[in-house]
Amino acid sequence: SYTPAPLFAALNFLSHQRKWAQDKEYVGFAALPNQLHRKSVKKGFDFTLMVAGESGLGKSTLINSLFLTNLYEDRQVPEASARLTQTLTIERRGVEIEEGGIKVKLTLVDTPGFGDSVDCSDCWLPVVRFIEEQFEQYLRDESGLNRKNIQDSRVHCCLYFISPFGRGLRPLDVAFLRAVHEKVNIIPVIGKADALMPKETQALKQKIRDQLREEEINIYQFPECDSDEDEDFKRQDAEMKESIPFAVVGSCEVVRDGGNRPMRGRRYSWGTVEVENPHHCDFLNLRRMLVQTHLQDLKEVTHDVLYEGYRARCLQSLARPGARDRASRSKLSRQSATEIPLPMLPLAETEKLIREKDEELRRMQEMLEKMQAQMQQSQAPGEQSDAL
Amino acid sequence: MSKGFPETRTDAAMSELVPEPRPKPAVPMKPVSINSNLLGYIGIDTIIEQMRKKTMKTGFDFNIMVVGQSGLGKSTLVNTLFKSQVSRKASSWNREEKIPKTVEIKAIGHVIEEGGVKMKLTVIDTPGFGDQINNENCWEPIEKYINEQYEKFLKEEVNIARKKRIPDTRVHCCLYFISPTGHSLRPLDLEFMKHLSKVVNIIPVIAKADTMTLEEKSEFKQRVRKELEVNGIEFYPQKEFDEDLEDKTENDKIRQESMPFAVVGSDKEYQVNGKRVLGRKTPWGIIEVENLNHCEFALLRDFVIRTHLQDLKEVTHNIHYETYRAKRLNDNGGLPPGEGLLGSVLPPVPATPCPTAE
């Protein structure tokens, strides 16, 4: 039977750090990263992935292929006449995936209606607004009273689908990417890449890369691999980077070709495209880079770079109106954030938030009391240490 | 196909301005069947051969327009259809091809010869269609171009001293390229076909169909056909112009099962089973353009060129052009457009059928 390769297990252990664990000569704090890693992974891993691009490029099929789910089962694609006056909507779908003891709460953000209408002017604005709203929410939570359980609903990555039928980026693609590139990590992919012959794929990729450069669009930069990696790994890493934008094919149908093992693919009269065959498409590369190695980095860049940028802009725009001297502006650090009126919220909403936070505080206090009571009852000698 | 003008033309000009939306093609009188006791062979049937010889001498015009978003393989398909470089491909990746800001109309003419028959083929390309962020009314330049050709023909026709053979630049066939999304038509597709199906023969094709499996193809086609029907869009061959039962059965089959044709185009040849075939070579197989198991290019080619070429021209002349002409005459108060005509005296209706422009 068909068993897919483990997706998230890599989150648990960075392979090249295992060797430190076994050596008794060392003090052992080189294992610290693993401890931190495990702690955060035990909490569960949240990730929000946005998928954008015009309809019919295989987005839903690819997501289902990547995460081996059937998230879009009940989806209804409206007819053209219904889409004549459709406005862009933002849809969220959540799925919990557990693998190798790791729980991943994946949120998928979809943008049905994008690029569909006859007039698509400004159709990207709702998307930009959505991304900023998540930042806003996080900023508010971060500045709030209870910061232990902040829900991170920020968009960590946007997979942008480019048509294989065009001649590179279309005006709409450029407009969308320029509107969001400073706010979200963009990974461009070419959908339905089985429409292209190998030479066409290379030419299209080059054209897209040139256009991205010309239009000064910053896509997500996969970080340089560590210098202590072996040559093979470095070469593989370089090859993967060269293949951006990834030319992908998705499928959830399993095909059996003769005596070969069953695999996912698309069967045509002239042959079968294998989704996981690196000579057929970049699906494996995308999966490796997005899920297996860079999930955490995407979150970090979102937090350290994109969100910080948003936060700085936001707080600066607060500082501008009214006469504020340099000294007080420097006080706009995290500690004093609560003293500044939170931006962009009507009064009624603020009050509602305060009430909610109060409730949360009360609940937490109750829990604390319960835990204290439990601890007093149990006289357990010691807790299991995290053996490495 | 009828070769005469409708008898009521003059009447329509004089009577109330109730424009008839579409003049029905005049039905020729049913021939009285003669008791076939012909003694000997007359030779009436040689008329076919005479017509053929004449056509070969004069050659004929055919104007085909291609409409669709850039990159859907329009030029490649036309080149494949006519087995020559009749359409300049703008798809060379290295060239600095900018998408035009408005829809442009580019007509390129070629003379193709086959078996002694000369065809003056004009391919009309429409770069810029559907490529902008705002594509509202992007079909207007196309509609304008088509009507301009009707106007040109009309002006020639009403001249006192007419050319023996009026040059025919009217668009006989418009291939509309549908993107193979697999879902349904796009709003722009609907808008274009709604506006233009009353003005020109539209043949919808599904472009780059090598991205769909057999099931996906058949589902997509069904959905597209249904959407067109629901929206009242009549593509060629239109139901109302089926002449007789034979036409109807043949066209019904095409309308309800084959169309829109799911095509793949190519200008490259590969070796398959010892033969050189036009196709696309991928790591998982070679798609053969003329293999009916792979795509419906051969069906499209046979339909447009081998069986319905003449019909396309005739429907353009007898239906679309006549509609335009009637509207223009009505708008003008019954007068044909242009100078050079004294008073309102129309040239007498000819007793014999006029030859169709070839």
Side-chain angles (χ1 to χ4, degrees), chain B residues 49-239:
Chain B
E49 183 60 27
Q50 295 176 36
M51 281 172 67
R52 204 178 75 83
K53 279 213 185 106
K54 282 245 164 186
T55 312
M56 278 177 70
K57 270 209 197 130
T58 53
F60 64 102
D61 294 341
F62 189 66
N63 308 318
I64 184 168
M65 175 184 265
V66 285
V67 182
Q69 275 184 312
S70 73
L72 284 181
K74 304 187 289 291
S75 305
T76 309
L77 186 73
V78 173
N79 290 345
T80 319
L81 267 177
F82 296 101
K83 287 223 162 83
S84 25
Q85 289 284 334
V86 288
S87 185
R88 187 186 69 94
K89 271 176 22 167
S91 70
S92 177
W93 300 101
N94 307 320
R95 249 181 297 161
E96 273 300 310
E97 274 300 333
K98 286 254 159 207
I99 294 177
K101 288 277 185 253
T102 52
V103 179
E104 295 175 352
I105 313 279
K106 292 201 174 136
I108 305 173
H110 292 263
V111 175
I112 310 179
E113 186 171 331
E114 191 183 61
V117 179
K118 272 208 246 330
M119 171 162 83
K120 178 157 172 293
L121 172 72
T122 305
V123 178
I124 303 140
D125 201 354
T126 54
F129 177 84
D131 289 329
Q132 303 307 320
I133 294 178
N134 184 354
N135 291 308
E136 216 135 70
N137 300 325
C138 68
W139 53 83
E140 277 176 3
I142 299 174
E143 197 175 355
K144 185 157 158 277
Y145 176 84
I146 293 172
N147 284 332
E148 275 170 6
Q149 309 318 305
Y150 290 149
E151 185 66 27
K152 239 192 250 177
F153 195 87
L154 182 60
K155 281 215 166 70
E156 272 302 323
E157 231 188 14
V158 302
N159 259 338
I160 298 178
R162 290 198 287 211
K163 298 200 183 113
K164 185 169 86 159
R165 203 184 135 202
I166 305 178
D168 191 0
T169 56
R170 299 169 298 185
V171 180
H172 300 125
C173 165
C174 173
L175 288 183
Y176 186 77
F177 285 67
I178 298 170
S179 184
T181 59
H183 294 320
S184 63
L185 288 176
R186 309 175 80 225
L188 180 61
D189 302 336
L190 269 188
E191 286 298 293
F192 177 86
M193 288 196 270
K194 256 199 217 154
H195 282 89
L196 284 250
S197 57
K198 299 267 183 266
V199 169
V200 70
N201 293 324
I202 295 187
I203 297 181
V205 296
I206 299 171
K208 298 205 167 173
D210 52 345
T211 51
M212 294 194 282
T213 60
L214 280 175
E215 304 87 50
E216 290 167 352
K217 234 187 281 193
S218 120
E219 276 174 26
F220 185 53
K221 281 165 75 150
Q222 264 182 351
R223 246 173 274 144
V224 168
R225 275 196 294 265
K226 187 155 157 283
E227 260 187 307
L228 291 175
E229 191 185 328
V230 160
N231 284 279
I233 296 170
E234 277 245 63
F235 51 84
Y236 178 86
Q238 298 91 334
K239 268 188 246 177

Side-chain angles (χ1 to χ4, degrees), chain A residues 109-265:
Chain A
V109 180
D110 223 338
T111 56
F114 179 82
D116 261 355
S117 324
V118 177
D119 180 3
C120 296
S121 309
D122 294 338
C123 72
W124 51 87
L125 290 182
V127 181
V128 178
R129 188 74 201 111
F130 177 82
I131 297 174
E132 287 186 331
E133 269 168 13
Q134 310 315 307
F135 282 158
E136 225 176 272
Q137 182 64 49
Y138 196 86
L139 179 58
R140 210 168 293 137
D141 288 348
E142 219 187 23
S143 323
L145 298 167
N146 177 17
R147 308 201 295 180
K148 264 220 190 108
N149 291 316
I150 300 179
Q151 293 285 11
D152 185 6
S153 63
R154 297 171 296 185
V155 181
H156 300 117
C157 175
C158 173
L159 277 186
Y160 188 72
F161 279 68
I162 300 163
S163 171
F165 309 123
R167 293 207 190 97
L169 296 177
R170 293 216 178 105
L172 180 60
D173 299 330
V174 173
F176 177 85
L177 292 171
R178 295 197 69 151
V180 300
H181 71 141
E182 304 278 276
K183 305 192 160 93
V184 71
N185 291 314
I186 297 173
I187 298 183
V189 300
I190 301 171
K192 293 196 172 174
D194 53 351
L196 302 167
M197 299 194 288
K199 276 216 189 92
E200 293 171 339
T201 313
Q202 286 314 310
L204 180 58
K205 285 186 178 184
Q206 188 57 49
K207 184 82 205 282
I208 293 173
R209 284 195 285 259
D210 291 343
Q211 281 176 297
L212 288 172
R213 206 176 25 247
E214 272 165 31
E215 301 285 345
E216 295 180 337
I217 293 167
N218 301 323
I219 59 174
Y220 171 69
Q221 297 298 323
F222 291 91
E224 298 300 323
C225 47
D226 300 324
S227 51
D228 58 350
E229 296 288 353
D230 56 43
E231 283 307 313
D232 245 358
F233 187 86
K234 282 195 188 157
R235 192 182 37 84
Q236 210 183 38
D237 192 65
E239 267 175 25
M240 284 207 270
K241 293 208 184 110
E242 283 292 295
S243 61
I244 292 166
F246 297 112
V248 292
V249 177
S251 172
C252 290
E253 297 197 12
V254 180
V255 288
R256 262 159 253 264
D257 261 344
N260 303 336
R261 64 184 189 90
M263 53 171 58
R264 281 179 296 158

